[in-house]
Amino acid sequence: MADLLPPLKPIPIKDRLSILYIERGHLDVLDGAFVVVDKTGVRTHIPVGGVACLMLEPGTRVSHMACALAARAGTLLVWIGEAGVRLYSAGQPGGARSDKLLYQARLALDDSLRLKVVRKMYALRFGEEPPQRRSVEQLRGIEGARVRETYKRIAAKYGVEWKARNYDTQDWDKGDLPNRCLSAATACLYGVTEAAVLAAGYAPAIGFIHTGKPLSFVYDVADVYKFDTVVPLAFRIAARRPANPEQQVRLACRDVFRESHLLQRIIPGIEDMLAAGEIEPPEPAEEQVGPAIPNPESIGDAGHRA
């Protein structure tokens, strides 16, 4: 009977639901399925293989079997603080690929190659070529000034009073409404971007514009799409001043990710950014660990081991 069933294959990132938030529940595996059991014992099934990223908020417990199933399905588990503004830990879905890591590291460590990648990221983000004869540090400064002006322009468009990008991860309620909406929105974007980075086999910490942080490359990639997706959304919701802004932002993020086909764009976008370095990626090693579930037709994304 088993021979009649099609082989198990991972669903590619681009075809998945972008993100789900789970709070105050116990994640477990029952009858081979991923479920959330709340305090009353009610079970809610989660299609873990069809979700790019699960954001686990305070009050959530996760069983060993649930972590193992998420890893096999290539779903990123992220343990976050209230409203997603603090990231405590993340479980890598599948595993990085040595050839991809060596390629990424070579581009980041060579100053001339790194500058080419940074210039490509700038061009993708702002729709124009950056100024010539500028260093990475100079481009970072130019980018920062443009970002601040873009925040002001979008806030004015939606009639939102905007002072500056400022929030305190230790005191969430201390931030003003626009900053809270922006933080919740960017947390969604960073979650799905990290899932895509890991699914493609790259390292979140090896960045080009951002450096020295565990998610430097995630920030680099997410910033390319930020002002086309989550920033206008956050200001639009802040202008309405809803009673539960974080929840409204999350729901709107899922909609805009789907409507903009974001998950279909991120991994090809990563390859396009890195290709600007104009070097050939190394060939995979002969002894490289293969996928846990054979996938000869390459239906899953590049880095999946699941």
Side-chain angles (χ1 to χ4, degrees):
M1 183 67 182
D3 295 336
L4 300 177
L5 297 174
L8 182 62
K9 294 181 180 180
I11 299 173
I13 286 289
K14 63 180 180 291
D15 293 334
R16 298 188 183 200
L17 177 68
S18 58
I19 196 166
L20 285 178
Y21 281 80
I22 299 174
E23 182 181 19
R24 294 185 177 86
H26 180 202
L27 298 184
D28 206 347
V29 177
L30 296 175
D31 300 326
F34 201 74
V35 297
V36 179
V37 183
D38 66 17
K39 62 182 180 181
T40 65
V42 175
R43 302 175 184 178
T44 302
H45 286 268
I46 301 292
V48 64
V51 180
C53 179
L54 288 177
M55 306 288 270
L56 310 178
E57 293 191 278
T60 303
R61 294 178 297 148
V62 186
S63 72
H64 182 278
M65 290 183 64
C67 289
L69 178 58
R72 291 188 69 241
T75 296
L76 179 66
L77 299 180
V78 182
W79 284 261
I80 60 174
E82 184 180 0
V85 295
R86 298 188 66 186
L87 187 150
Y88 298 110
S89 182
Q92 185 165 315
R97 282 177 40 168
S98 60
D99 56 326
K100 300 278 189 175
L101 294 182
L102 291 171
Y103 175 51
Q104 182 184 5
R106 181 182 173 190
L107 289 168
L109 290 171
D110 186 299
D111 289 341
S112 62
L113 300 181
R114 179 187 172 201
L115 179 58
K116 291 180 179 180
V117 175
V118 169
R119 290 181 61 84
K120 181 64 174 181
M121 290 176 172
Y122 185 105
L124 290 172
R125 185 172 190 181
F126 297 113
E128 62 183 51
E129 291 297 320
Q132 297 293 329
R133 295 185 295 276
R134 298 293 194 277
S135 66
V136 171
E137 290 71 22
Q138 288 171 324
L139 288 177
R140 187 186 291 125
I142 295 171
E143 180 192 43
R146 292 196 63 168
V147 165
R148 288 189 291 273
E149 288 302 315
T150 304
Y151 277 135
K152 293 179 183 177
R153 176 173 53 81
I154 298 177
K157 176 181 177 181
Y158 291 100
V160 173
E161 182 182 356
W162 177 250
K163 299 176 182 178
R165 185 73 174 106
N166 184 28
Y167 63 95
D168 184 355
T169 59
Q170 304 295 330
D171 189 355
W172 174 245
D173 293 325
K174 186 177 179 180
D176 61 24
L177 181 60
N179 271 289
R180 288 166 57 193
C181 289
L182 273 173
S183 295
T186 53
C188 293
L189 179 60
Y190 293 152
V192 297
T193 303
E194 183 180 8
V197 167
L198 291 169
Y202 294 105
I206 303 178
F208 295 84
I209 298 174
H210 297 84
T211 57
K213 299 179 180 179
L215 298 180
S216 291
F217 191 49
V218 172
Y219 301 148
D220 284 351
V221 174
D223 281 354
V224 171
Y225 306 100
K226 180 185 295 184
F227 287 105
D228 293 332
T229 54
V230 299
V231 174
L233 172 156
F235 281 123
R236 185 173 71 248
I237 292 175
R240 299 203 302 258
R241 305 190 68 83
N244 51 352
E246 292 86 1
Q247 181 186 36
Q248 295 299 313
V249 165
R250 292 170 181 175
L251 294 174
C253 281
R254 288 206 294 267
D255 290 340
V256 79
F257 292 162
R258 181 179 64 252
E259 293 165 1
S260 64
H261 305 288
L262 180 65
L263 289 177
Q264 298 179 26
R265 297 159 53 198
I266 292 181
I267 291 180
I270 292 172
E271 301 295 348
D272 190 27
M273 295 171 208
L274 298 184
E278 300 177 330
I279 62 171
E280 289 295 323
E283 292 294 327
E286 293 183 2
E287 64 273 19
Q288 180 167 296
V289 177
I293 302 173
N295 191 26
E297 298 179 13
S298 299
I299 292 180
D301 293 298
H304 274 145
R305 292 195 196 282

